[in-house]
Amino acid sequence: TKDNNDLSNLYHGTGSTTVEIDTTKREELQREHPQVMDEFLPLLEINEDVVGWITIGDEDDPFIDYVVMQGDDNSYYLNHNYKGDPSVSGAIFADYREPITADSQPANIVLYGHNMSSGEYFARLTRYFNYRPSGNTGMEFYKKHPTLTFSTLYEKSTYKIFAGVLMNVRKKDGE
């Protein structure tokens, strides 16, 4: 959680962070990738697999606010964080089969992330469904948060949420 909060502060340019900045590397990245938006340069200093940022919720208090990675396969970031360090929570990542580049942005981008019991990553998306016994869930939650912002390195876009799918990935838990 602390790492993700530090990274959010770094991306948004708010609050304090313990992430160190290498200005020489940033200048080199600016020369190599002039089309990359400035807010992504410090993230690319940490890991060049960064391809975007996803935010859902109020701008000043989002309930999802994470960096999006894209690797060479769809398994690496299942158990590695945005720094590339081993981590059971992994990271949010885009499907590798549709590369996000300055020259090619896919029409559809599939994002993967864990539903952590700590509430991190995509756990809070379950608030869109009505199966929770209490709290602001289902249609009321959707009316309050009908869009998401997904920024690639090259452009910021807002999308209307129109569907969601809950999938079980453990055979032991049944269908």
Side-chain angles (χ1 to χ4, degrees), residues 105-155:
Q105 299 218 30
N108 296 299
I109 300 171
V110 177
L111 300 181
Y112 300 95
H114 290 299
N115 174 356
M116 302 299 295
S117 59
S118 66
E120 291 285 327
Y121 299 115
F122 286 159
R124 294 179 181 139
L125 290 179
T126 58
R127 295 178 184 175
Y128 282 106
F129 298 93
N130 287 319
Y131 73 91
R132 299 257 175 160
S134 64
N136 188 14
T137 59
M139 188 53 73
E140 295 78 30
F141 192 77
Y142 173 76
K143 286 177 183 176
K144 187 174 179 183
H145 306 289
T147 62
L148 66 87
T149 300
F150 180 64
S151 298
T152 67
L153 299 175
Y154 316 102
E155 67 182 4

Side-chain angles (χ1 to χ4, degrees), residues 5-108:
N5 288 339
D6 280 349
L7 200 62
S8 178
N9 289 338
L10 185 63
Y11 173 75
H12 294 291
T14 59
S16 62
T17 178
T18 58
V19 178
E20 292 186 27
I21 306 300
D22 180 349
T23 55
T24 305
K25 186 171 182 180
R26 182 174 303 172
E27 291 167 359
E28 182 180 312
L29 286 166
Q30 283 175 315
R31 283 191 302 277
E32 289 176 21
H33 308 286
Q35 66 278 43
V36 171
M37 294 191 299
D38 288 342
E39 56 264 42
F40 283 104
L41 292 172
L43 305 182
L44 288 170
E45 291 175 35
I46 297 167
N47 187 333
E48 291 193 29
D49 282 351
V50 171
V51 293
W53 193 275
I54 184 169
T55 303
I56 306 176
D58 299 328
E59 202 170 291
D60 54 341
D61 187 26
F63 65 92
I64 290 185
D65 195 42
Y66 298 110
V67 67
V68 177
M69 312 302 292
Q70 189 170 48
D72 296 329
D73 58 40
N74 283 344
S75 61
Y76 183 78
Y77 285 106
L78 282 172
N79 55 16
H80 288 83
N81 66 19
Y82 69 89
K83 296 179 200 173
D85 297 334
S87 169
V88 294
S89 57
I92 304 297
F93 61 96
D95 195 301
Y96 80 99
R97 293 170 285 200
E98 295 289 342
I100 300 170
T101 67
D103 300 323
S104 171
Q105 299 218 30
N108 296 299

